[in-house]
Amino acid sequence: MAAQSRWLSSALGACAIAAFYAAPSARADTATPIKHLVVIFQENESFDHYFGTYPNAQNLAGEPPFFASPDTPSVNGLTVTNGLLNHNPNLSNPIRLARSQAATCDQNHDYMPEQQAFDSGLMDKFVQFTGVGNTASSPCPDYGYGPNLVMGYYDGNTVTALWNYAQHYAMSDNSFGTTFGPSTVGAVNLVSGQTYGATPNVSGDTIDGTIIGDPDPTGDKCSGSTTVTLGSSGKNIGDLLNAKGITWGFFEGGFDLTITNPDGSTGCNRTHTSLVTAIKKDDYIPHHEPFQYYTSTANPSHTRPSSVAAIGTTDAANHQYDIHDFFDALARGNFPAVSILKAPGYQDGHPGYSDPLDEQTFIVNVLNTLQKSPAWNSTAVIISWDDSDGWYDHQMGPIESQSNTTEDALTGTDSCGTAGAAAYEGRCGHGPRLPLLVISHFAKGNFVDHSVTDQSSIIRFIEYNWSLGSIGNQSFDAIAGSLQNMFDFSNGRGDDRLCLDPNTGEPTNCR
């Protein structure tokens, strides 16, 4: 991403940019000192898959070392004391994956198999229902584990940056997917807390008007043949921000169709090849762009913003941008109040085509850039994921939303909770437990939050901080747990910056 090298002083000059960020009129009033929220929304990791043995890493030779502070709080993970590492109820015990095993098969993370793996809360059928290994028809790296690979986990010698961020800032060990299901479900829940209202009904992708699969957004010029819309009546957090005149944007790799990549690819087919997985993957993935499903916030033609200065405002781009636009806006001094970032495909962390090391490069480059910005002391970064990929996690969340369709299987055949209790069907949840970190000048340090939260808790924080009201129509924002226990707004923490090496994840100078 060449735009990352355009440092803040290159556009307006350091003094002008600092003055912009300091000016009271530059951003709307907020309920907290947070004037800029950045959500880095990654792909397909369960909590145990990334943090199951936190804060204890094996520190094997040839891998970046990780040593936790002695006062590090414990997490609800795969400890020796609970027996899950060595006496697991699944067909396999958990398997430590080395840094050299960063490329893996993609596991089964569909709506129904994820529920079946949970087995009414026994959490003991992951190998049978979500485990995927190498096959002749679908070759992928499983390192000889076959479907037992689903029990794999990494420690701080591979997801080193994330463990270092957890040491320095706040993380949650009790945050969940709002509902079960794959990428589109998680992405839509992130921006609206509501997956109901889809048309048309598409077998395998929707049920009773609710999205449970990965259809592309209708009208997006890069979409495939199977598409749905959440229509002109559906509402999302972008609509609430627009109503209050708050600047915002969704920034996804590959959205700018005018660019030609180094490999010669362009348009909807812009690609990168991961050095870790050796897979060539499209930068832009339509079903990862949730605002494209809504008429009010869609930019189906991928129209470019009228200028860098206009990024975050309402113009022909309609708040939908490329990742490079985020860095351009930051350098220009018109950093939106709310920014949601989606990495190009090869860096989004999705097993099968991406991996933890490419993901680490993206996350660290974003955070290093932000921490060198004049806006850092008024910024909060939330790192969250869209779904679990089906990876094993031992903790079932509360059933906040019941459903009884032919695709439900959490508490029995065609069952997720009590029959007839759902406002809208096809929204069984909470879903799998996912990692969640808050990185900010006001984040609690080396802190683990045990409050129950979910993807729509991010919406709730935005609504609270900018006094937006709520989405309504049974959106989960109305019942979402609060993220505020992860913050301490009483005072800042001095120079709390933690810059990391994007390759190793180890601390380096913030220069």
Side-chain angles (χ1 to χ4, degrees):
M1 283 175 276
Q4 292 181 25
S5 64
R6 302 169 193 167
W7 298 106
L8 295 173
S9 60
S10 64
L12 293 181
C15 292
I17 293 171
F20 172 85
Y21 287 124
S25 61
R27 291 291 179 266
D29 290 338
T30 53
T32 76
I34 302 302
K35 304 299 182 182
H36 310 274
L37 181 71
V38 178
V39 180
I40 302 175
F41 197 57
Q42 294 294 103
E43 290 283 310
N44 295 53
E45 314 295 348
S46 74
F47 180 86
D48 278 344
H49 186 59
Y50 269 9
F51 287 97
T53 63
Y54 180 83
N56 300 309
Q58 288 195 19
N59 292 318
L60 301 183
E63 299 180 340
F66 178 87
F67 298 98
S69 171
D71 61 349
T72 299
S74 61
V75 301
N76 178 10
L78 302 172
T79 64
V80 174
T81 54
N82 68 18
L84 291 175
L85 272 177
N86 301 312
H87 302 284
N88 198 280
N90 280 273
L91 295 180
S92 168
N93 284 328
I95 301 161
R96 181 190 185 269
L97 299 173
R99 196 172 194 268
S100 61
Q101 297 170 318
T104 67
C105 301
D106 180 22
Q107 305 303 294
N108 188 344
H109 46 289
D110 287 344
Y111 179 80
M112 184 176 183
E114 285 186 341
Q115 295 182 45
Q116 292 171 312
F118 276 38
D119 191 19
S120 299
L122 296 176
M123 313 302 279
D124 62 353
K125 292 188 177 179
F126 283 81
V127 176
Q128 297 97 314
F129 288 106
T130 61
V132 173
N134 176 52
T135 65
S137 60
S138 183
C140 61
D142 68 8
Y143 309 103
Y145 295 119
N148 289 339
L149 179 68
V150 77
M151 302 298 293
Y153 68 89
Y154 296 105
D155 67 15
N157 307 132
T158 299
V159 287
T160 314
L162 294 176
W163 280 36
N164 275 314
Y165 288 135
Q167 283 279 287
H168 203 63
Y169 302 103
M171 68 177 292
S172 169
D173 70 348
N174 211 18
S175 192
F176 300 86
T178 304
T179 62
F180 288 90
S183 296
T184 301
V185 176
V188 170
N189 276 320
L190 173 73
V191 303
S192 72
Q194 173 61 284
T195 49
Y196 176 76
T199 56
N201 275 312
V202 179
S203 178
D205 284 321
T206 65
I207 190 162
D208 294 347
T210 301
I211 297 174
I212 61 170
D214 277 334
D216 284 344
T218 298
D220 188 322
K221 69 183 301 180
C222 296
S223 287
S225 58
T226 302
T227 67
V228 303
T229 180
L230 288 164
S232 57
S233 59
K235 185 184 292 186
N236 59 59
I237 193 65
D239 296 310
L240 302 189
L241 290 164
N242 283 339
K244 281 294 186 77
I246 309 299
T247 57
W248 69 277
F250 188 91
F251 301 84
E252 180 171 349
F255 197 84
D256 182 352
L257 305 184
T258 69
I259 291 176
T260 299
N261 278 5
D263 65 0
S265 59
T266 192
C268 293
N269 298 314
R270 283 173 55 196
T271 59
H272 281 88
T273 299
S274 162
L275 294 177
V276 177
T277 68
I279 299 293
K280 179 183 284 189
K281 183 64 178 179
D282 289 345
D283 290 349
Y284 177 68
I285 300 170
H287 69 264
H288 291 176
E289 221 288 22
F291 290 106
Q292 294 286 78
Y293 292 91
Y294 297 88
T295 304
S296 60
T297 54
N299 178 1
S301 298
H302 295 231
T303 303
R304 300 290 299 136
S306 54
S307 66
V308 174
I311 292 171
T313 66
T314 301
D315 67 357
N318 206 19
H319 302 272
Q320 311 308 312
Y321 312 104
D322 200 293
I323 281 291
H324 77 79
D325 293 313
F326 173 77
F327 292 101
D328 292 345
L330 183 60
R332 173 63 170 73
N334 62 300
F335 179 23
V338 176
S339 302
I340 303 175
L341 310 188
K342 195 70 183 178
Y346 80 110
Q347 291 183 318
D348 68 18
H350 194 303
Y353 62 78
S354 185
D355 60 277
L357 302 182
D358 281 310
E359 176 181 42
Q360 175 173 270
T361 299
F362 176 79
I363 292 172
V364 169
N365 282 335
V366 170
L367 276 159
N368 284 355
T369 305
L370 282 169
Q371 291 184 87
K372 297 168 185 175
S373 160
W376 175 245
N377 284 352
S378 63
T379 297
V381 178
I382 298 173
I383 308 175
S384 62
W385 283 259
D386 64 343
D387 66 69
S388 71
D389 201 59
W391 294 110
Y392 170 65
D393 188 274
H394 77 277
Q395 180 63 52
M396 178 174 168
I399 302 178
E400 297 285 359
S401 176
Q402 302 179 72
S403 177
N404 293 271
T405 74
T406 55
E407 295 291 333
D408 288 298
L410 183 64
T411 55
T413 303
D414 303 343
S415 175
C416 166
T418 305
Y424 295 123
E425 299 286 359
R427 303 194 308 166
C428 176
H430 291 337
R433 191 170 60 144
L434 309 174
L436 182 116
L437 296 94
V438 171
I439 300 167
S440 172
H441 186 63
F442 294 98
K444 293 178 180 177
N446 197 10
F447 176 76
V448 177
D449 182 34
H450 307 302
S451 307
V452 176
T453 58
D454 69 282
Q455 289 156 330
S456 66
S457 295
I458 298 173
I459 302 173
R460 176 177 171 178
F461 180 81
I462 297 170
E463 292 168 346
Y464 167 75
N465 198 48
W466 281 277
S467 302
L468 303 180
S470 58
I471 289 173
N473 190 28
Q474 302 297 322
S475 167
F476 290 108
D477 66 345
I479 60 172
S482 172
L483 298 178
Q484 290 187 192
N485 192 44
M486 302 177 78
F487 293 95
D488 179 0
F489 294 118
S490 60
N491 53 65
R493 301 192 299 162
D495 187 358
D496 67 316
R497 297 177 301 166
L498 178 68
C499 293
L500 303 177
D501 184 306
N503 297 314
T504 67
E506 297 176 293
T508 187
N509 291 327
C510 283
R511 289 196 296 247

